[in-house]
Amino acid sequence: MPGHFEPLPGGGAAVALDDVEISIIRSLAVQLLELIGPGPAPDAPADPLAELFAEGPSEPPADPVLRRLFPDAYSDPGRAPDTAEEAEERQAHSAEFRRYTENDLRAGKRENALAVIRALDALAAAGEGGAVLKLSPAESRQWLGALNDLRLAIGSRLEITDEDDTDLLYRLPDEDPRKPMVMAYLWLGGLQETLVSTLLS
């Protein structure tokens, strides 16, 4: 089980993590939370209808990691607009979509990252020297979302855009300052892959 998720009887997944692994994942999840930003203020009115119609930002984020986590809905990276009018129309549709969806997307990503932190804190409090993390099916899906977001964030910082970039990262020399981030990216990818397999089994 070390380094990969395995299915639990009755659903869910389990993985053995040592103290260093727990610390790395937790630190990355905290950084992701800081990047996504805080949720609603504690004194915000609890009006579900107002919350439903609350508008989010209409402009794409300036940070490339956030642009990767919250991409434009109407952009096609593989195809440039035929005309200036088409480009303008795409931009208007993307802004409208972002305005009504980004707050919910941020809330979901924030909840997933918090679920990871809570699970790891509970695991660390239970014993020393690492332990076996056991997740329910719902927690497993939250972890899957958080692992995906962490890999997108690290991949963006490493400027990974396709599979060829990943192949080049495997060959980085040990003295390259990106090496620790690359190792985290690849390790999280392995965790994500085995969690997907576990949930599909």
Side-chain angles (χ1 to χ4, degrees):
M1 184 185 306
H4 64 273
F5 280 94
E6 293 184 359
L8 285 174
V15 62
L17 297 171
D18 64 30
D19 288 342
V20 173
E21 292 168 331
I22 291 169
S23 176
I24 291 170
I25 298 173
R26 190 185 189 287
S27 174
L28 290 171
V30 167
Q31 291 175 52
L32 181 65
L33 269 180
E34 290 170 355
L35 189 64
I36 292 170
D43 57 351
D47 179 354
L49 189 60
E51 194 175 312
L52 181 65
F53 291 103
E55 292 188 8
S58 59
E59 294 297 318
D63 187 302
V65 174
L66 289 174
R67 277 199 307 273
R68 189 87 171 263
L69 292 173
F70 304 103
D72 276 339
Y74 290 89
S75 68
D76 183 354
R79 180 180 159 273
D82 294 332
T83 64
E85 185 178 282
E86 185 183 346
E88 199 174 298
E89 188 176 326
R90 267 196 211 175
Q91 188 175 3
H93 287 309
S94 290
E96 189 75 2
F97 186 81
R98 185 179 296 281
R99 182 178 293 122
Y100 293 110
T101 59
E102 189 167 311
N103 284 347
D104 284 344
L105 289 173
R106 282 182 184 263
K109 291 179 185 300
R110 195 179 297 113
E111 236 354 271
N112 289 344
L114 281 169
V116 167
I117 292 167
R118 289 182 191 121
L120 293 175
D121 286 350
L123 190 65
E128 294 181 18
V132 175
L133 175 69
K134 295 180 181 179
L135 303 172
S136 69
E139 290 168 331
S140 298
R141 288 188 292 276
Q142 286 185 300
W143 267 71
L144 187 58
L147 288 173
N148 185 60
D149 288 342
L150 290 172
R151 289 195 79 237
L152 284 173
I154 295 172
S156 180
R157 290 287 187 241
L158 291 170
E159 299 179 353
I160 296 172
T161 56
D162 58 35
E163 197 59 41
D164 291 341
D165 295 334
T166 307
D167 293 340
L168 290 173
L169 294 176
Y170 277 107
R171 296 192 293 273
L172 281 179
D174 288 343
E175 59 273 11
D176 192 298
R178 296 171 295 172
K179 190 72 172 193
M181 202 183 304
V182 168
M183 298 307 293
Y185 178 81
L186 298 173
W187 174 57
L188 291 172
L191 283 175
Q192 183 183 10
E193 188 177 328
T194 59
L195 184 52
V196 168
S197 300
T198 296
L199 292 174
L200 292 176
S201 64

